[in-house]
Amino acid sequence: MVKFLDLQKINAQYAAELKQVAADVIDSGWYLLGEQVKQFENNLEVFQEGGSAVAVANGLDALRLIFKAYIELGLMEEGDEIIVPANTYIASILAITDNKLKPVLVEPDFDTYNLDLNLIESKITSKTKAIMVVHLYGSVCWNEGLELLAKKYSLKVIEDNAQAIGARWKGIRTGNLGDAAGFSFYPGKNLGALGDSGAVTTKDPELAKTIRTLANYGSSQKYVNQYQGLNSRMDEMQAAFLNVKLRYLDDETLQRQKIAAYYLENIKNSKIILPKAGEVAEHVWHLFVIRTNNRNELQEFLSKNGVQTLIHYPTPPHLQECYIDFNDFSLPITEQIHNEVISLPISPVMTDEELELVINFLNEY
Ligand SMILES: *Cc1c(COP(=O)(O)O)cnc(C)c1O
């Protein structure tokens, strides 16, 4: 069987090192806010080639904390509008609504599945405070026009970089393009911990400091609480694992890029629409997402032949029960994408034989 993503196999590559650092953390007697987390923040800053990193408990918290910090700093307030892609994982939207800000859902571009940057200006009102871009599937969502718009209307640009660590736009790492970015190290992400964790990066030291304080009960000095914060800290254990795995991320990304190039070159079936790799943007292929008219049929066909696939995502955020007020929004492109996408296996440990097998079945379909 070709697994969609074999986490056991991915982590088995580094098992000896992971077990060693786990033992070190256990023996250290220090499990939070320690050397491993500090080291990871430094390592992430080096990897990002600039900016400050703050380790947090997960990717959703990373994004929530960015907005919460802007609110504490007086730059945003309840009811302000945030432009965000309608075609995203729900966490991007939850981070906004959790802070009582208003998400303004914008349709994606059919070619990239990312936010259609041409539609943004018409959505800007006097209440708009930020644009959140999501580098969905690992593909960069950025251009000069976006930078100019942000400047023209004094908007913050926040990157949801949960799926795109390692990607670049004109040489600059995603997560370093905008004002602040949220990262997720959920086990299935390109840099996966062995549990939950996440991070914020920003070039704004005051924002970084505020987020660090907010994530630790609103306190930067023990038993002194400046803000009504939350508990969103990265465990020393997860930081230790990430310190090991970050060293291999570039190699793993190369592996994903090779597989994607091979898929793009060899899948030949008029019923299947392939993703576009993009030109300036470097794509890190968190997911390899194709489209087809009858994706349930294709998924069944592949499954019968032993190929696991997933749907990212079956239902868009605005049609979820939790967002009942958004249910009647007209977002036809987002809905069509959600109805047609199917994600093929892609991972740094996928073998050539597995890759050939998947391609053969796709071409036979
Ligand atoms: C995974 C993900 C998140 C949330 O990350 P968690 O670590 O699971 O909280 C946010 N946005 C996107 C686009 C994601 O894929």
Side-chain angles (χ1 to χ4, degrees):
M1 190 183 60
V2 184
K3 285 194 179 174
F4 178 74
L5 179 68
D6 191 340
L7 284 181
Q8 194 280 330
K9 196 171 168 189
I10 287 177
N11 290 319
Q13 304 175 96
Y14 318 119
E17 281 183 273
L18 295 172
K19 286 174 186 172
Q20 182 58 54
V21 297
D24 292 346
V25 171
I26 293 167
D27 292 346
S28 76
W30 193 275
Y31 308 115
L32 284 168
L33 301 173
E35 281 309 312
Q36 290 292 339
V37 166
K38 211 175 284 171
Q39 191 62 52
F40 177 69
E41 290 176 341
N42 287 337
N43 290 342
L44 185 59
E45 287 165 3
V46 171
F47 180 85
Q48 286 298 113
E49 300 163 0
S52 304
V54 182
V56 299
N58 57 65
L60 172 59
D61 278 2
L63 296 169
R64 286 166 72 199
L65 282 160
I66 292 169
F67 290 111
K68 202 169 167 59
Y70 278 131
I71 291 169
E72 292 294 354
L73 291 170
L75 298 173
M76 291 181 192
E77 59 181 24
E78 196 175 317
D80 280 344
E81 295 174 7
I82 312 295
I83 290 172
V84 63
N87 186 47
T88 184
Y89 180 57
I90 197 161
S92 321
I93 320 275
L94 287 171
I96 297 169
T97 54
D98 184 64
N99 280 292
K100 299 192 164 57
L101 299 163
K102 185 181 164 203
V104 175
L105 304 178
V106 177
E107 287 271 57
D109 180 315
F110 244 129
D111 283 339
T112 63
Y113 310 130
N114 274 329
L115 183 62
D116 186 341
L117 298 172
N118 296 317
L119 299 178
I120 292 178
E121 191 160 18
S122 67
K123 304 287 178 181
I124 295 172
T125 73
S126 60
K127 296 215 122 216
T128 309
K129 290 290 162 63
I131 301 163
M132 184 193 275
V133 295
V134 181
H135 307 300
L136 200 66
Y137 309 148
S139 148
V140 182
C141 179
W142 201 264
N143 67 13
E144 280 96 356
L146 174 66
E147 290 176 356
L148 289 173
L149 268 188
K151 202 174 229 178
K152 180 172 166 191
Y153 295 97
S154 302
L155 305 177
K156 299 289 181 197
V157 186
I158 293 156
E159 300 175 72
D160 180 340
N161 200 35
Q163 300 190 0
I165 185 167
R168 292 178 187 274
W169 180 79
K170 297 197 170 177
I172 305 166
R173 294 276 197 199
T174 55
N176 250 354
L177 294 165
D179 294 283
F183 291 63
S184 166
F185 309 116
Y186 173 81
K189 296 283 158 76
N190 285 24
L191 176 63
L194 278 63
D196 275 317
S197 53
V200 174
T201 59
T202 177
K203 282 168 269 183
D204 176 348
E206 202 188 357
L207 185 74
K209 182 167 172 267
T210 308
I211 288 171
R212 187 179 297 287
T213 305
L214 279 169
N216 187 33
Y217 290 106
S219 164
S220 51
Q221 193 187 337
K222 206 165 190 181
Y223 305 127
V224 179
N225 297 81
Q226 188 180 357
Y227 309 115
Q228 296 175 21
L230 43 132
N231 176 354
S232 182
R233 302 176 297 220
M234 182 187 285
D235 295 343
E236 284 285 286
M237 189 68 89
Q238 295 307 334
F241 294 143
L242 290 171
N243 283 328
V244 171
K245 291 188 73 181
L246 183 58
R247 297 205 303 272
Y248 302 102
L249 180 62
D250 281 335
D251 286 344
E252 294 206 337
T253 300
L254 264 171
Q255 215 39 47
R256 287 176 182 275
Q257 287 166 335
K258 271 191 207 158
I259 292 168
Y262 201 76
Y263 270 142
L264 289 171
E265 206 172 306
N266 293 289
I267 299 172
K268 293 194 165 71
N269 184 329
S270 58
K271 289 191 219 161
I272 290 171
I273 300 169
L274 293 172
K276 295 205 168 53
E279 287 171 30
V280 249
E282 258 187 51
H283 196 318
V284 294
W285 301 101
H286 172 57
L287 297 170
F288 191 96
V289 178
I290 60 173
R291 273 198 294 138
T292 186
N293 279 335
N294 196 343
R295 67 111 183 272
N296 292 349
E297 185 189 88
L298 175 57
Q299 187 168 40
E300 216 163 278
F301 170 78
L302 291 172
S303 162
K304 265 198 215 130
N305 287 295
V307 176
Q308 269 185 357
T309 56
L310 290 178
I311 308 296
H312 297 93
Y313 298 90
T315 308
H318 73 277
L319 296 180
Q320 299 286 352
E321 190 183 344
C322 67
Y323 287 131
I324 200 132
D325 292 351
F326 305 163
N327 285 181
D328 57 1
F329 284 5
S330 170
L331 295 158
I333 301 173
T334 298
E335 288 173 24
Q336 189 181 332
I337 289 171
H338 277 75
N339 286 329
E340 294 182 347
V341 287
I342 168 165
S343 308
L344 302 181
I346 187 165
S347 90
V349 294
M350 193 176 180
T351 64
D352 293 349
E353 295 72 43
E354 289 175 323
L355 187 57
E356 290 295 347
L357 207 66
V358 177
I359 289 168
N360 288 343
F361 286 126
L362 285 167
N363 290 346
E364 187 184 309
Y365 169 68

